[in-house]
Amino acid sequence: MAAALDSIGVVVLEPNTQLLKKLCAVAAGTWGQHEVLPRGTAKELANAAKFLRIGVVVVRASYQRSSDLIQNTLADLYAAGTQLVIIQDTPARLDRRHWVSIAGMHFLSDDSTDEQLHDLLALCLVRHCTPSVHRLI
């Protein structure tokens, strides 16, 4: 779905290689194989954010809070219109069975199924393709 060479659909930020592959596989099933960019470190995410317009970033809540670089990069991306899918792997979750969306931030429990992640990424794709309609949803 990239409209230009300087854009990408989904960036998956995950240091665990096995989980990174799984998340990328689910994302590729929704957005397409060439729209998914795996990243393992905060520096890789920050570097991608400098050069690419990103539709969605998928990140675990515990990893998101692990460094100031990740927090600052995600805040900058969100301010620029990137949606965030935050997989809640911490004790306090908004909902264990369903995702919760607030504007362009989507919270999904790590207890959720691959199908729920797929459905959420499909919603993100729709919102990415029609940004003016879904600004405050």
Side-chain angles (χ1 to χ4, degrees), residues 1-2 16 19 29-30 36 41 50 61 69 72 75 77 80 83-84 88 94 106 109-110 112 114 118 126 129 133-134:
M1 296 295 304
N16 178 314
L19 185 53
T30 307
V36 179
T41 67
K50 286 180 189 176
L69 180 58
N72 293 335
L77 286 168
Q83 298 176 76
L84 304 177
Q88 297 179 295
L94 294 175
H106 313 281
S109 173
D110 63 347
S112 299
D114 290 352
H118 172 77
V126 169
C129 293
V133 176
H134 299 286

Side-chain angles (χ1 to χ4, degrees), residues 1-13 27 31 35-39 41-59 70 73-85 104 121 124-125 127-129 131:
M1 296 295 304
L5 295 175
D6 64 344
S7 66
I8 191 76
V10 181
V11 171
V12 179
L13 179 63
W31 284 69
E35 287 294 321
V36 179
L37 184 65
R39 288 291 173 256
T41 67
K43 286 183 181 179
E44 289 177 342
L45 174 65
N47 205 21
K50 286 180 189 176
F51 301 106
L52 296 173
R53 189 177 60 80
I54 300 170
V56 159
V57 175
V58 177
V59 63
I70 293 173
T73 303
L74 289 175
D76 292 344
L77 286 168
Y78 182 74
T82 297
Q83 298 176 76
L84 304 177
V85 172
L121 289 171
C124 291
L125 178 58
R127 289 183 176 181
H128 178 70
C129 293

Side-chain angles (χ1 to χ4, degrees), residues 72-122:
N72 293 335
T73 303
L74 289 175
D76 292 344
L77 286 168
Y78 182 74
T82 297
Q83 298 176 76
L84 304 177
V85 172
I86 301 167
I87 299 174
Q88 297 179 295
D89 61 341
T90 56
R93 292 176 176 89
L94 294 175
D95 193 324
R96 286 192 176 271
R97 294 179 293 167
H98 305 287
W99 72 75
V100 176
S101 294
I102 303 167
M105 294 194 324
H106 313 281
F107 300 90
L108 180 72
S109 173
D110 63 347
D111 296 334
S112 299
T113 64
D114 290 352
E115 184 177 326
Q116 287 172 314
L117 177 59
H118 172 77
D119 292 346
L120 178 55
L121 289 171

